């Protein structure tokens, strides 16, 4: 595996389900990101972890819970979601922040909440 | 607040022709980076080109170049000799050039269609 991988690629869940999205980066980076991509809206930065410590948390509802057990893995735990949470969830990684370091994105998980 | 605006939801270009995608932004930061990312259908988003705000020279990467107008807060992307593989969503993004900053602000994207 190379780059940034995400599983599953597609997920359909009911509002009462609990599921998790997984992201893994094989680039040796020290920062990982979760974004939400909805049609006709800007990409929304949800969470950022640097060296396994959360450094950004952009007013995301508590039904989304991130976890970063090490610098290569990032999870997004989902519970009691709403239909408006249906979107493409992108994971990204970078070596440091500050803009000079390129972000590498995964293919995304297409989430549908029924 | 920092914002990025892409006013063209969709653009079309004939193969081998040139197209320009628009992006305007607002920030109170004195130094920052601007980016164009490409997201092909069902494929991963990749960086196309990056511009450091303190550099006056416009960035170029092969057929891709930018027109960076700092005073006007404008950052357009020009694609020359368009190819079918250029068809994608293009996102403009901004981040402050501050150590320890991980905040990236994206626009809504422009869908580019390339006509054969």
């Amino acid at each position: 595996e190379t780059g940034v991988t995400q599983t599953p690629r597609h997920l359909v869940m009911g509002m009462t389900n609990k599921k998790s999205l997984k992201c893994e980066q094989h680039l040796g980076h020290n920062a990982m990101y979760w974004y939400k991509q909805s049609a006709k809206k800007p990409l929304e930065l949800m969470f950022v972890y640097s060296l396994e410590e959360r450094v950004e948390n952009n007013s995301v509802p508590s039904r989304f819970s991130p976890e970063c057990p090490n610098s290569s893995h990032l999870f997004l735990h989902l519970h009691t979601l709403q239909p408006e949470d249906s979107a493409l969830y992108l994971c990204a990684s970078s070596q440091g922040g500050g803009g000079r370091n390129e972000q590498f994105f995964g293919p995304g998980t297409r989430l549908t909440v029924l | 607040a920092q914002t990025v605006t892409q006013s063209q939801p969709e653009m079309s270009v004939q193969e081998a022709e040139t197209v320009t995608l628009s992006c305007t932004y607002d920030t109170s930061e004195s130094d920052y980076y601007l980016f164009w990312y490409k997201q092909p259908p069902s494929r991963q988003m990749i960086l196309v080109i990056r511009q450091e705000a303190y550099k006056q020279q416009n960035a170029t990467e092969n057929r891709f170049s930018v027109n960076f107008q700092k005073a006007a807060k404008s950052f357009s992307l020009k694609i020359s000799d368009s190819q079918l593989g250029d068809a994608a969503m293009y996102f403009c993004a901004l981040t402050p050039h501050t150590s320890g900053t991980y905040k990236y602000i994206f626009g809504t994207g422009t869908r580019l269609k390339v006509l054969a």
Side-chain angles (χ1 to χ4, degrees):
Chain A
E1 294 278 13
T2 58
V4 180
T5 57
Q6 291 185 243
T7 54
R9 295 292 307 276
H10 299 271
L11 178 62
V12 179
M13 58 187 289
M15 293 168 60
T16 58
N17 291 157
K18 287 185 181 181
K19 296 286 185 183
S20 295
L21 309 185
K22 178 183 175 182
C23 175
E24 184 173 359
Q25 59 96 1
H26 309 268
L27 301 167
H29 290 164
N30 58 17
M32 296 187 76
Y33 309 72
W34 278 119
Y35 286 91
K36 177 183 179 182
Q37 184 177 5
S38 305
K40 300 182 181 178
K41 286 186 175 181
L43 215 64
E44 298 173 47
L45 180 62
M46 300 175 72
F47 302 104
V48 184
Y49 278 81
S50 173
L51 297 171
E52 300 142 50
E53 188 176 323
R54 193 186 307 180
V55 295
E56 288 284 346
N57 180 356
N58 289 338
S59 303
V60 179
S62 60
R63 56 185 183 269
F64 295 90
S65 174
E67 179 190 0
C68 186
N70 56 61
S71 59
S72 299
H73 294 86
L74 185 64
F75 295 89
L76 189 62
H77 304 298
L78 316 171
H79 63 98
T80 59
L81 293 191
Q82 304 298 310
E84 60 264 29
D85 297 322
S86 298
L88 183 68
Y89 288 84
L90 296 174
C91 176
S93 71
S94 69
Q95 182 57 30
R100 65 167 59 89
N101 302 299
E102 178 182 349
Q103 286 187 307
F104 290 79
F105 285 83
T109 294
R110 174 69 62 185
L111 174 66
T112 302
V113 181
L114 301 177
Chain B
Q2 299 176 96
T3 59
V4 173
T5 302
Q6 294 179 250
S7 58
Q8 305 154 316
E10 192 170 293
M11 294 279 287
S12 295
V13 63
Q14 206 70 35
E15 200 176 0
E17 297 295 307
T18 296
V19 64
T20 299
L21 308 184
S22 301
C23 173
T24 58
Y25 61 92
D26 192 20
T27 180
S28 57
E29 300 284 340
S30 58
D31 198 12
Y32 46 89
Y33 284 83
L34 294 160
F35 308 84
W36 279 99
Y37 280 90
K38 171 185 178 182
Q39 187 180 39
S42 301
R43 291 180 59 191
Q44 284 160 260
M45 195 174 310
I46 58 172
L47 179 66
V48 174
I49 199 164
R50 168 175 39 202
Q51 174 79 42
E52 299 173 77
Y54 70 88
K55 288 189 176 179
Q56 293 188 346
Q57 186 172 6
N58 289 325
T60 62
E61 288 286 344
N62 300 313
R63 298 182 295 107
F64 298 88
S65 61
V66 298
N67 183 5
F68 174 47
Q69 302 288 328
K70 191 171 184 179
K73 293 185 177 176
S74 171
F75 181 62
S76 60
L77 175 70
K78 185 171 87 169
I79 306 174
S80 305
D81 185 26
S82 297
Q83 300 175 0
L84 294 177
D86 295 333
M89 282 289 288
Y90 286 82
F91 292 93
C92 180
L94 160 76
T95 189
H97 181 198
T98 306
S99 177
T101 292
Y102 298 85
K103 189 175 290 290
Y104 290 79
I105 300 95
F106 282 77
T108 50
T110 296
R111 182 173 302 281
L112 179 66
K113 295 184 176 181
V114 181
L115 308 173

